[in-house]
Amino acid sequence: MGTAAITKPPALPSDVDLAIVGAGVAGLAAAKTARARGLSVALLEAQSRIGGRAFTDTLDPGNGRAPLPWDRGCHWLHQARENPFTEIADALGFGYRTESRASHIWLGDRWADDADLADRRAAGERAEAAVAAAAEAGRDVAMADVIPDLGRWSGVHRQFLRAVTGEDPAANSTLDDQRYTETGDNWPVEAGFGALVAAWAADVEAITETPVQRIDRRGRDLRLETPRGTLRARAAVLTPSTDVLLSGGLRLDPPMPTELADALAGVPLGAANKVAFAFDRDVFGLEHAMAVHQPDAPRGCNFQIRPFRRDMAIAHSGGPLARQLEQAGPAEMIAFARAQLSEMFGADVHRYLRASATTAWGRDPWIGGGYSVCRPGRAGDRARLLRPVEARIWLAGEACSLTAFGTVGGAHDSGVAAARHAAARLTAARD
């Protein structure tokens, strides 16, 4: 059982000022903001839980020990010194780790030494400098087109980019990448980011198990049709992922403007998944660390080893590999990650393996993938997502953030901004 809140759906109101579709972080932030401004709000969520891609689950390590929390989705406080959830975590008593993680790279016959690791860092800096130079010159091209040959680190760096962006650098915009504000402060939440979101949202009433199937915008008010009835609203904030909005599961009538549909297509979801392992003892002899198998890269996983000294390993895959493994199914995902762990740490570690679990965000019909990625040549599309439809329908979510896309902080701030725009518009219409 995850820690995201699961509640019996409350009754569907007949008429509200603002309807918010999706109770992920953007929708929750929009609901809090709108209600603080005196609007009547209906927050509609298709699933039986809130949180969206913020979802903390647990694994049983055996030996009578407490279940180990792990995040199926988001897990870092990215841009932590500026992230609104850092202050929220402090207020709610949620701890996080600010220290940097040790990096370990298996070279096939030995672990990388300090000289190897310094060489890897220098290679990464060359790649980042090349992408930055292209962006500064206004070149909106594929990252892969400008990254130089990094020698033995080319695969490792490509694998790293696939994990952090959810896509291969051949399908990632240089200009969009450089608009992201990288502060170097990426702090994991000890009890789980999903648990933090659930605690923060405890005061928000969400109408769960209520997917919005159609929004009729032909009249003065919007009519949102659901399996539980129809709701009237004077304005709406839509927070489903770009892929969900394009899938047709939520239809606008008349259809969404062509320019909006085109912008959504330019910022689709990448792929990102995890395999979590729980052991009944420390089999790694390491503190909180990251480990990579260099000979397999870029077709490999990035492993979190013993996060918060828990006897766990969490394999992260992104881009093409994440899609392939998800299609193959949980058994193949687990076997693949186990094989990489065995090559790095020895097959004996699995003697003490007690539980495992996988994610499949691409198969979730209400999510559709990992996090948004901008196609080369489409760096202007995020800004286009911010334009309202008829000044009464706004989009929000991590894809709508210009400088913090792919993060919970970006989703939060976009939800706040959309609700503020809606409140200002509704207030002006009343005056």
Side-chain angles (χ1 to χ4, degrees):
M1 175 66 69
T3 57
I6 298 177
T7 59
K8 181 179 180 181
L12 185 73
S14 60
D15 187 273
V16 294
D17 293 322
L18 182 66
I20 301 171
V21 180
V25 168
L28 293 165
K32 283 176 172 275
T33 302
R35 286 171 179 160
R37 281 159 175 72
L39 300 184
S40 59
V41 176
L43 175 58
L44 309 173
E45 169 56 48
Q47 302 198 73
S48 61
R49 64 172 182 84
I50 64 171
R53 285 166 279 183
F55 182 21
T56 302
D57 209 341
T58 60
L59 278 180
D60 184 359
N63 283 346
R65 295 190 296 167
L68 303 176
W70 68 286
D71 278 309
R72 288 183 165 270
C74 53
H75 51 283
W76 309 107
L77 285 163
H78 291 294
Q79 304 168 343
R81 298 183 194 278
E82 303 171 5
N83 192 317
F85 276 94
T86 303
E87 184 175 339
I88 292 168
D90 291 339
L92 295 177
F94 277 72
Y96 44 82
R97 182 187 176 98
T98 62
E99 299 87 354
S100 61
R101 304 170 307 280
S103 294
H104 300 275
I105 303 176
W106 179 250
L107 300 178
D109 56 355
R110 64 179 178 86
W111 290 103
D113 59 24
D114 289 344
D116 294 316
L117 294 174
D119 192 39
R120 162 67 184 109
R121 287 191 295 272
E125 290 167 0
R126 292 196 303 275
E128 291 169 6
V131 173
E136 289 169 7
R139 298 178 60 199
D140 185 7
V141 297
M143 294 170 65
D145 290 348
V146 301
I147 294 175
D149 183 1
L150 303 179
R152 61 174 173 160
W153 305 120
S154 288
V156 169
H157 191 71
R158 197 170 197 120
Q159 180 172 305
F160 164 75
L161 291 175
R162 288 177 173 183
V164 299
T165 69
E167 190 53 274
D168 191 84
N172 245 313
S173 160
T174 51
L175 202 51
D176 184 72
D177 176 79
Q178 286 302 296
R179 287 175 178 162
Y180 179 86
T181 302
E182 179 55 73
T183 65
D185 304 314
N186 301 300
W187 302 341
V189 180
E190 184 169 9
F193 212 143
L196 171 59
V197 168
W200 163 72
D203 63 340
V204 180
E205 182 179 69
I207 305 172
T208 55
E209 301 177 35
T210 308
V212 176
Q213 299 164 319
R214 176 173 174 266
I215 300 179
D216 184 346
R217 57 189 183 95
R218 292 175 296 182
R220 179 179 177 182
D221 291 339
L222 301 171
R223 291 171 54 88
L224 286 79
E225 299 176 0
T226 81
R228 301 179 61 207
T230 299
L231 165 72
R232 286 183 177 272
R234 276 154 287 292
V237 173
L238 310 184
T239 73
S241 71
T242 54
D243 280 29
V244 169
L245 289 174
L246 279 173
S247 70
L250 167 57
R251 295 187 297 110
L252 269 62
D253 188 10
M256 70 176 68
T258 301
E259 58 269 23
L260 176 57
D262 183 63
L264 289 167
V267 193
L269 291 189
N273 278 310
K274 301 178 185 179
V275 180
F277 297 106
F279 302 86
D280 67 9
R281 66 198 66 190
D282 176 13
V283 297
F284 300 109
L286 297 172
E287 298 297 325
H288 190 149
M290 297 297 295
V292 175
H293 189 284
Q294 184 260 353
D296 283 353
R299 187 180 164 76
C301 300
N302 297 321
F303 287 87
Q304 275 180 286
I305 303 297
R306 299 196 72 229
F308 295 99
R309 298 185 178 181
R310 295 177 182 130
D311 294 326
M312 302 187 74
I314 303 175
H316 298 244
S317 62
L321 176 64
R323 291 189 186 92
Q324 293 164 11
L325 290 176
E326 183 173 302
Q327 291 170 3
E332 182 63 27
M333 291 176 71
I334 291 170
F336 184 89
R338 279 181 58 129
Q340 288 211 317
L341 275 180
S342 295
E343 290 187 31
M344 290 190 290
F345 296 99
D348 196 50
V349 299
H350 297 299
R351 289 177 53 197
Y352 308 102
L353 176 63
R354 294 295 174 262
S356 59
T358 63
T359 67
W361 289 108
R363 291 178 179 237
D364 186 328
W366 308 116
I367 303 293
Y371 20 82
S372 63
V373 57
C374 183
R375 296 294 188 224
R378 307 297 296 269
D381 285 349
R382 293 192 194 276
R384 294 166 65 194
L385 297 179
L386 302 179
R387 300 172 189 169
V389 177
E390 298 177 330
R392 59 177 179 165
I393 299 176
W394 286 263
L395 268 56
E398 54 86 9
C400 298
S401 175
L402 303 182
T403 61
F405 45 85
T407 75
V408 177
H412 173 279
D413 290 350
S414 75
V416 170
R420 286 175 176 170
H421 288 309
R425 178 70 178 178
L426 292 172
T427 299
R430 289 171 179 164
D431 294 341

